């Protein structure tokens, strides 16, 4: 078992009823940060898999179909994840902010939409847009 899995199992095995006040809020803050950082890492891995295409030997024709089957996601969710992973490769400030837990997945989706609709202006405005998302 990986150290990541062990740490998550340890946290999840503790009762939330034992937390109160600042400790309750601090754990939620911490888990929100972890969720965002892990999402960034997962998207980076999906982008890498999209580039190297190891799933072709298994008969899959696209990254999104492979993600959908392997991780039991709907086709639409898998497609959105692959689209986001691809876009983040061209969005360094957004990618960094998500990885540092500074912006949410919903903010990333909005920024990806802005990037897709106007890539050149987005590149120039990305730092300002990411600051606004924070």
């Amino acid at each position: 078992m990986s150290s990541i899995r062990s740490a998550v199992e340890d946290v999840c095995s503790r009762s939330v009823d034992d937390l109160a006040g600042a400790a309750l809020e601090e754990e939620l803050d911490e888990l929100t940060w972890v969720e965002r950082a892990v999402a960034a890492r997962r998207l980076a891995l999906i982008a890498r898999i999209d580039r190297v295409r190891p799933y072709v030997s298994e008969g899959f024709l696209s990254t999104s179909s492979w993600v959908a089957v392997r991780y039991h996601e709907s086709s639409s969710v898998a497609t959105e994840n692959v689209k986001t992973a691809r876009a983040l490769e061209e969005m360094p400030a957004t990618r960094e902010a998500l990885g540092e837990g500074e912006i949410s997945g919903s903010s990333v989706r909005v920024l990806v939409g802005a990037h897709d609709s106007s890539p050149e202006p987005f590149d120039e405005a990305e730092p300002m847009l990411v600051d606004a998302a924070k």
Side-chain angles (χ1 to χ4, degrees), residues 14 17 21 26 40 43 49 62 74 78 80 90 104 109 132:
R14 293 182 258 150
D17 294 332
E26 287 169 10
L43 291 166
I49 285 170
S62 70
S74 69
E80 183 68 24
E90 300 174 16
S104 67
R109 284 189 293 279

Side-chain angles (χ1 to χ4, degrees), residues 1-130:
M1 181 182 313
S2 77
S3 58
I4 295 170
R5 185 175 292 214
S6 294
V8 170
E9 285 181 350
D10 179 54
V11 169
C12 292
S13 69
R14 293 182 258 150
S15 173
V16 297
D17 294 332
D18 295 337
L19 297 170
L24 182 62
E25 293 174 16
E26 287 169 10
E27 185 162 329
L28 182 57
D29 291 346
E30 185 82 4
L31 287 176
T32 299
W33 180 89
V34 167
E35 178 182 40
R36 292 172 178 179
V38 168
R41 179 67 176 182
R42 184 175 192 269
L43 291 166
L45 292 169
I46 290 172
R48 172 79 175 140
I49 285 170
D50 188 54
R51 286 192 308 279
V52 299
R53 301 169 45 94
Y55 51 77
V56 170
S57 64
E58 298 173 44
F60 289 95
L61 300 177
S62 70
T63 307
S64 57
S65 64
W66 178 81
V67 168
V69 170
R70 184 164 180 121
Y71 300 105
H72 310 286
E73 294 179 358
S74 69
S75 293
S76 62
V77 168
T79 298
E80 183 68 24
N81 284 330
V82 172
K83 174 186 168 195
T84 301
R86 287 175 181 159
L88 285 174
E89 292 202 295
E90 300 174 16
M91 302 168 63
T94 304
R95 184 177 60 244
E96 182 180 342
L98 179 62
E100 292 177 2
E102 296 175 334
I103 61 174
S104 67
S106 58
S107 293
V108 170
R109 284 189 293 279
V110 170
L111 292 167
V112 167
H115 175 269
D116 289 350
S117 67
S118 301
E120 291 174 19
F122 180 87
D123 291 344
E124 186 177 318
E126 183 182 13
M128 177 192 63
L129 294 170
V130 169

